[in-house]
């Protein structure tokens, strides 16, 4: 379990440090090209959720985030034996807390990774957002693998019982 909480803490620290750098050294709206026409560091703020939905609904985010954090801690304790699930939950926990800190102290989330995919300007995001997405992706994979193991075990037992 220490590993999973350590991952969450690492995400929180890196997330908050990078956001601090953006706020301290960049003007809002300023954009620095890293790879022209593909990747920029852009100082942006979001008072809502993904893609700016639910702008300004901080009370909603406080309640939902508190429930999510409690749920993740519960699942880490319950399913810590499965390493992939634990790592994915650690990433989700770190991302949720990272953005929660912003909402609590800034009333907005600091975003700065700006990617263009062909001509599409992908919504600006941060370390916490990336951690949440990677964590959810890994959790889906872990759930798929667990389901597969359960089916193999069931099929193996069924075959053995028929002998």
């Amino acid at each position: 379990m220490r590993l999973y909480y350590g991952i969450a803490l690492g995400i929180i620290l890196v997330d908050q440090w990078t956001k601090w750098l953006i706020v301290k050294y960049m003007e809002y709206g300023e954009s620095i090209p890293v790879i022209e026409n593909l990747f920029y560091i852009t100082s942006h703020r979001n008072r809502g959720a993904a893609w700016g939905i639910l702008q300004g609904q901080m009370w909603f985010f406080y309640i939902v985030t508190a429930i999510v954090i409690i749920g993740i801690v519960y699942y880490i304790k319950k399913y810590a034996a499965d390493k992939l699930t634990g790592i994915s939950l650690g990433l989700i926990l770190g991302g949720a807390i990272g953005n929660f800190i912003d909402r609590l102290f800034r009333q907005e989330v600091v975003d700065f990774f700006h990617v263009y995919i062909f001509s599409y300007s992908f919504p600006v995001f941060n370390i916490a957002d990336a951690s949440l997405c990677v964590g959810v992706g890994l959790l889906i994979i872990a759930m798929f693998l667990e389901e597969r193991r359960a089916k193999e075990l069931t099929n193996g037992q069924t075959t053995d019982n028929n002998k």
Side-chain angles (χ1 to χ4, degrees):
M1 276 196 318
R2 279 186 180 164
L3 171 65
Y4 313 139
Y5 291 121
I7 289 169
L9 180 60
I11 293 296
I12 294 164
L13 293 174
V14 171
D15 177 66
Q16 290 301 302
W17 177 66
T18 55
K19 289 173 179 176
W20 175 82
L21 289 171
I22 296 300
V23 170
K24 180 152 178 74
Y25 294 108
M26 292 182 73
E27 294 293 321
Y28 176 78
E30 182 181 354
S31 189
I32 301 168
V34 177
I35 301 172
E36 195 70 39
N37 297 320
L38 180 65
F39 177 56
Y40 296 78
I41 302 296
T42 301
S43 179
H44 181 72
R45 306 297 182 274
N46 185 355
R47 292 180 175 263
W51 292 277
I53 61 171
L54 298 171
Q55 288 286 322
Q57 302 297 317
M58 288 301 145
W59 60 271
F60 175 77
F61 294 118
Y62 297 148
I63 293 168
V64 169
T65 304
I67 291 168
V68 166
I69 290 169
I70 291 167
I72 292 169
V73 169
Y74 169 78
Y75 275 95
I76 286 175
K77 288 182 179 190
K78 186 168 172 112
Y79 299 106
D82 177 14
K83 198 169 190 174
L84 184 58
T85 299
I87 289 170
S88 66
L89 291 171
L91 288 167
I92 295 168
L93 181 62
I97 293 173
N99 281 339
F100 183 70
I101 290 169
D102 277 18
R103 288 190 177 102
L104 194 60
F105 293 106
R106 291 189 176 101
Q107 302 298 303
E108 61 189 4
V109 175
V110 176
D111 292 324
F112 52 89
F113 290 133
H114 195 182
V115 176
Y116 288 87
I117 301 171
F118 301 106
S119 62
Y120 177 70
S121 174
F122 196 79
V124 184
F125 62 99
N126 59 44
I127 302 278
D129 297 333
S131 180
L132 284 163
C133 290
V134 170
V136 168
L138 289 176
L139 186 59
I140 290 168
I141 292 168
M143 292 167 62
F144 174 76
L145 292 174
E146 179 58 34
E147 180 67 25
R148 193 166 148 194
R149 277 190 294 261
K151 282 183 182 178
E152 288 173 356
L153 182 61
T154 301
N155 289 340
Q157 287 177 346
T158 303
T159 304
D160 290 344
N161 291 338
N162 291 333
K163 288 183 180 180

